[in-house]
Amino acid sequence: MSLISSPPPLPLLLFLMSFWTLATPFTVIMSDSGEPNALVEGPQTGFSINKDGARTDAREQEAVYDIMRATGNDWATDISDVCRGRWHGIECMPDKNDVFHVVSLSFGALSDDTAFPTCDPTRSHISPSITRLHYLRTLFFYRCFSYNPQPIPSFLGQLGPTLQTLVLRDNGHVGPIPIELGNLTRLKVLDLHKNNLNGSIPVSLNRVTGLRSLDLSCNSLTGSIPNFSFPILSILDMSQNLLAGSIPSQIGACLSLLKMDLSHNWLTGSIPNSIGGLKDLMLMDLSYNRLKGPLPMWFGTLVSLQTLNLKGNPMGPTQIPSEGFEGMKGLMILILSNMNLHGPIPSSIGHLPSLRVLHLDGNHLNGSIPNSFRELKSVGELRLNDNGLVGSIPFGREMVWRMRRKLRLYNNSGLCYNANSGFEDNLDSSSSFGIGPCDPPRPRP
């Protein structure tokens, strides 16, 4: 039997990356005593003849009425049985006595293709009656309280025995993150993206050891990142906050991490060596912080990494390690712009077979462009502008034609091209500012 309700909100699953595909099915809800409850897991495509007497738990029905009224959806009170009504945004499951219980509630217009109940923008709030839904696994509010800012209610911590997914995304919530959320020890997904939350990240979240996705991005959180230990965490996003202090080395203990985004904060210190042990990490974005160098030598140990962005960190004066990126066969995006990097460009970068985007602009790099860059067959965007590079440009006609305006070489007064290479036929004028042939023709007498 399956849930009575709508499918998961597919358009918003992008913010969880691949979380849902990684998550294993949760087949039974455990009570505080450790005993499984009587919910029946299985197909629930409708009511068969012997199910005609099944009804929603009366106390939960009244709780749903209160919750719907609090969001401006008074129409729900006209539905005699909220589970059998089966609107998009509610999911129910039966117990062994054919009594149905609410396991999921979702609100907010995700796209034109979804029909979750919307929220009245002027008076919506989260009703305390939610705590009367003792089987609730998923609670989802999207863009519901922007015109009626309110704190995240601390009573949500009472849902600890069952709640697995809490999404309060782009809602306009104000104030701190309640420490009571640390009581949600069964939680797998916590998403508080794009609110107006302030204060520090509560240390109590460390009790939620089963977290797989934690998104606190686009808020105004301050203080340092706590020494969390989430052994099965896949997604960590704390970008665009006001977090300070160093990156805790305990992040290296999150061995299941796929995405780590701590960009646009005030983080200081160096990148912890423990991160070099994250063999499954696919995206690491630490851009626009205040991290110091030197660049680690162990980047090559991140064998699954596809995106590395360190832009805007004043890590120099330091050099790019000559062998620092060897072995990163899956690396597609490498951004090291505006980092006060000095010295030559290592030829090893030209041996990254999957590289598509390379930004080294706004540094103090010198020497020539490595000949190995000819082998970057997949690169579609290359920025080497605003450096001190000299010598002949090693790119062929096809490579220049492929990149066109996404090839930026200007403000390197020492660069030139071979007159017979066909380089000048394809180079965009804005990219070639100040670049001429290496051996200009001699004027005739």
Side-chain angles (χ1 to χ4, degrees), residues 345 356-361 369-370 373-374 376 378-387 389 392-412 415-417 421-435:
I345 300 174
R356 298 179 183 178
V357 176
L358 176 60
H359 294 180
L360 301 176
D361 53 296
I369 300 174
F373 274 35
R374 294 173 182 165
L376 295 174
S378 300
V379 165
E381 185 173 330
L382 177 60
R383 297 183 185 179
L384 301 177
N385 53 284
D386 297 292
N387 279 291
L389 300 174
S392 174
I393 297 170
F395 311 137
R397 179 184 287 107
E398 179 182 350
M399 187 173 182
V400 176
W401 180 86
R402 183 175 69 242
M403 288 187 282
R404 289 294 180 94
R405 295 189 177 186
K406 293 184 178 180
L407 174 60
R408 301 184 182 180
L409 302 173
Y410 53 83
N411 290 347
N412 283 288
L415 288 178
C416 61
Y417 59 84
S421 66
F423 179 86
E424 72 280 10
D425 298 333
N426 295 292
L427 188 63
D428 182 80
S429 59
S430 63
S431 302
S432 61
F433 178 75
I435 300 176

Side-chain angles (χ1 to χ4, degrees), residues 115-390:
F116 292 163
T118 56
C119 302
D120 186 311
T122 60
R123 63 182 182 90
S124 290
H125 65 278
I126 300 177
S127 171
S129 294
I130 281 179
T131 59
R132 292 153 55 191
L133 301 179
H134 300 300
Y135 298 85
L136 194 66
R137 298 177 178 180
T138 298
L139 185 59
F140 186 102
F141 284 93
Y142 178 63
R143 293 184 176 177
C144 277
F145 317 112
S146 300
Y147 296 97
N148 183 28
Q150 56 196 265
I152 297 175
S154 60
F155 58 71
L156 293 180
Q158 299 177 35
L159 299 172
T162 60
L163 198 66
Q164 299 175 29
T165 299
L166 177 60
V167 176
L168 304 175
R169 190 175 178 86
D170 201 357
N171 277 319
H173 286 297
V174 295
I177 300 174
I179 60 174
E180 289 82 1
L181 296 190
N183 297 328
L184 303 176
T185 55
R186 300 297 175 90
L187 209 59
K188 297 180 180 180
V189 177
L190 177 59
D191 186 341
L192 306 179
H193 166 81
K194 202 175 181 181
N195 289 287
N196 295 306
L197 300 172
N198 55 32
S200 59
I201 301 172
V203 179
S204 62
L205 293 181
N206 210 22
R207 301 201 299 266
V208 192
T209 56
L211 266 183
R212 295 181 178 176
S213 179
L214 176 60
D215 190 340
L216 306 179
S217 60
C218 300
N219 284 287
S220 298
L221 299 172
T222 56
S224 59
I225 301 174
N227 293 324
F228 287 138
S229 179
F230 300 127
I232 59 174
L233 190 70
S234 296
I235 310 298
L236 176 63
D237 193 342
M238 297 183 178
S239 61
Q240 300 188 54
N241 278 287
L242 304 173
L243 298 172
S246 59
I247 301 173
S249 60
Q250 283 79 359
I251 286 182
C254 302
L255 298 178
S256 299
L257 209 57
L258 300 176
K259 171 188 174 181
M260 178 174 62
D261 190 347
L262 305 178
S263 62
H264 293 268
N265 280 289
W266 294 348
L267 299 174
T268 57
S270 58
I271 303 174
N273 291 332
S274 60
I275 293 178
L278 300 178
K279 306 302 183 184
D280 295 330
L281 192 64
M282 300 173 65
L283 182 149
M284 180 164 67
D285 190 346
L286 305 178
S287 59
Y288 295 105
N289 279 287
R290 300 174 181 179
L291 300 174
K292 297 294 184 181
L295 285 173
M297 296 291 294
W298 44 256
F299 279 138
T301 65
L302 301 175
V303 293
S304 299
L305 200 65
Q306 297 180 9
T307 298
L308 175 62
N309 188 355
L310 302 177
K311 182 178 182 177
N313 285 288
M315 302 193 78
T318 187
Q319 294 190 4
I320 303 174
S322 59
E323 309 298 335
F325 301 100
E326 282 204 354
M328 303 180 74
K329 296 182 179 180
L331 190 65
M332 293 188 290
I333 299 175
L334 177 60
I335 299 180
L336 305 177
S337 308
N338 305 110
M339 295 176 59
N340 196 21
L341 299 175
H342 288 65
I345 300 174
S347 60
S348 59
I349 293 180
H351 301 305
L352 299 175
S354 302
L355 202 61
R356 298 179 183 178
V357 176
L358 176 60
H359 294 180
L360 301 176
D361 53 296
N363 287 294
H364 301 280
L365 300 172
N366 55 33
S368 60
I369 300 174
N371 288 329
S372 61
F373 274 35
R374 294 173 182 165
E375 306 304 318
L376 295 174
K377 304 298 184 184
S378 300
V379 165
E381 185 173 330
L382 177 60
R383 297 183 185 179
L384 301 177
N385 53 284
D386 297 292
N387 279 291
L389 300 174
V390 298

